[in-house]
Amino acid sequence: MTIIELLQYILLGIIQGATEPLPVSSSGHLRIFSYYFGLDVPDLHFEVFLNGASLFAVLYVYKTDLIEMFQDTINHVRKPAAETADQFRLGVMVIVGTIPAVIIGGLFRDFIGGELTEIHYVGIALMVTGIALWLIRNLKGHKLDGEITYKDAVIVGLAQAAALIPGISRSGATIVAALARKVEAETALKYSFFLSIPVSVGSLVLEASTIVNTIVDNDALLLYIISFITSVIVSIIAIRLLINVVTRGKLLYFAIYVFVVAVIILIVR
């Protein structure tokens, strides 16, 4: 392990950790750093590996809410009651909202991971993300955990599926869709992150053997661990920042940022 390799993996952890939770597209930013700055980004399996770091951060930040949903869901299945109905319904909506990404990702994975990674497509996708964030910047919803409908879940799930395209932010797309469906801001944010859990776990399971083989073949265990820890720390900070921004209704800041980046990409490529 050289100093250059160490710094590169720390940088990858910072980029992924900051851009995965924030509505700016982690896959888009990895492509940008690779294209413009020559950053050596490993294959898809490494991005999936670092998504596991963001997953860990989500579990940490939302541990109380997740435990409540899990316990209430089990209790509601055993004995339906009004006090456990809201969290049970939220759990069901997480499952429903996950289905579109699973189906679309399975059908179009090669196309999305191939042609759509071209830098001009990333620029266009980032522009779409910026416009969407701009359009919903002042929306205020009212639906809470137990009021998310099946239609809401499907629409937000389709938004998550669209975010498989590099440059379309997963958190941005799902938050935009949820707010557009009149879901209250904090609930929209929580639901967005809850939706990321099944997809991240599924991706990790599918790529587990590749990740392990790559680490062993390249003797890169320490580098992967350092990158993972860096990504976890930065992800936790980014999630808390996003919570603050969304609850204050300041998504405008992210809209401006991704729009400017998109314009630069489309001009300088």
Side-chain angles (χ1 to χ4, degrees), residues 74 109 170 209 226 262:
I74 292 176
R109 180 180 179 183
R170 193 211 64 81
S209 61
I226 291 171

Side-chain angles (χ1 to χ4, degrees), residues 184-203:
E184 186 269 337
E186 288 189 46
T187 301
L189 190 57
K190 179 169 69 173
Y191 184 56
S192 168
F193 282 121
F194 282 15
L195 278 179
S196 72
I197 296 173
V199 174
S200 295
V201 171
S203 298

Side-chain angles (χ1 to χ4, degrees), residues 241-257:
L241 171 63
L242 184 59
I243 292 172
N244 181 266
V245 170
V246 171
T247 53
R248 291 169 55 212
K250 300 296 184 180
L251 281 170
L252 169 65
Y253 298 149
F254 292 115
I256 295 172
Y257 169 76

Side-chain angles (χ1 to χ4, degrees), residues 10-56:
I10 290 175
L11 179 58
L12 287 170
I14 292 172
I15 295 170
Q16 180 72 17
T19 58
E20 175 61 28
L22 298 179
V24 297
S25 177
S26 60
S27 58
H29 275 72
L30 285 174
R31 185 72 186 97
I32 289 168
F33 274 84
S34 172
Y35 184 84
Y36 288 105
F37 302 103
L39 183 63
D40 184 15
V41 180
D43 294 334
L44 175 64
H45 74 275
F46 186 74
E47 185 177 342
V48 171
F49 175 74
L50 286 187
N51 273 336
S54 296
L55 168 63
F56 188 90

Side-chain angles (χ1 to χ4, degrees), residues 221-233:
L221 179 60
L222 184 57
L223 287 172
Y224 272 60
I225 290 174
I226 291 171
S227 189
F228 187 90
I229 293 173
T230 302
S231 190
V232 168
I233 295 170

Side-chain angles (χ1 to χ4, degrees), residues 81-154:
E83 59 267 23
T84 57
D86 285 354
Q87 293 305 305
F88 170 75
R89 184 176 183 83
L90 179 61
V92 172
M93 293 306 118
V94 169
I95 295 172
V96 173
T98 301
I99 294 172
V102 173
I103 295 174
I104 294 174
L107 291 175
F108 301 104
R109 180 180 179 183
D110 291 340
F111 174 68
I112 292 170
E115 184 175 348
L116 292 184
T117 60
E118 295 295 329
I119 195 67
H120 61 283
Y121 287 126
V122 172
I124 293 170
L126 281 171
M127 186 167 287
V128 171
T129 295
I131 292 171
L133 290 170
W134 173 272
L135 290 175
I136 58 88
R137 67 192 185 282
N138 295 322
L139 287 183
K140 297 185 184 300
H142 57 82
K143 295 179 183 177
L144 300 176
D145 291 353
E147 299 172 309
I148 298 175
T149 66
Y150 285 98
K151 184 176 181 179
D152 297 335
V154 170

